[in-house]
Amino acid sequence: MNGVPTDIVSLRMSHCRAEHAASGAQYHLAVLYYRECLEAAERREDCRAVEFFALKLAACYEQMGLTEKAAHFRALACSDDFSLLG
């Protein structure tokens, strides 16, 4: 495990922090927390959660003007191959 908890309470807390940061246009923080969520979802092997958090990351990166990163996470959300998380 790489230091990111996989329990549902920790995942929910990271999600709440990400949502709060995104609502305040603090996209760098939102990305940090959504990445934690995405990594936890991958470890839990929860494909729907991986898709959800990948789309959240894509939206943040689009708001930041980082279209290539946004496209990467959008592709991850539409893929069955989650090895793109790398």
Side-chain angles (χ1 to χ4, degrees), residues 4-5 10-19 30-44 46 49-50 52-54 57:
V4 179
S10 296
L11 178 61
R12 181 69 181 133
M13 290 301 297
S14 289
H15 181 218
C16 288
R17 287 182 189 111
E19 290 288 300
V31 163
L32 172 75
Y33 293 124
Y34 281 135
R35 268 315 277 251
E36 286 180 8
C37 294
L38 183 63
E39 291 169 5
E42 181 190 37
R43 280 193 304 283
R44 294 171 62 88
D46 185 337
V50 168
F52 176 80
F53 291 119
L57 278 162

Side-chain angles (χ1 to χ4, degrees), residues 22-71:
S23 71
Q26 296 176 319
Y27 298 111
H28 288 84
L29 279 177
V31 163
L32 172 75
Y33 293 124
Y34 281 135
R35 268 315 277 251
E36 286 180 8
C37 294
L38 183 63
E39 291 169 5
E42 181 190 37
R43 280 193 304 283
R44 294 171 62 88
E45 297 180 3
D46 185 337
C47 296
R48 289 182 61 171
V50 168
E51 180 179 3
F52 176 80
F53 291 119
L55 289 173
K56 291 289 194 174
L57 278 162
C60 286
Y61 281 123
E62 284 173 359
Q63 289 293 322
M64 295 166 70
L66 301 171
T67 55
E68 285 185 33
K69 282 195 176 239

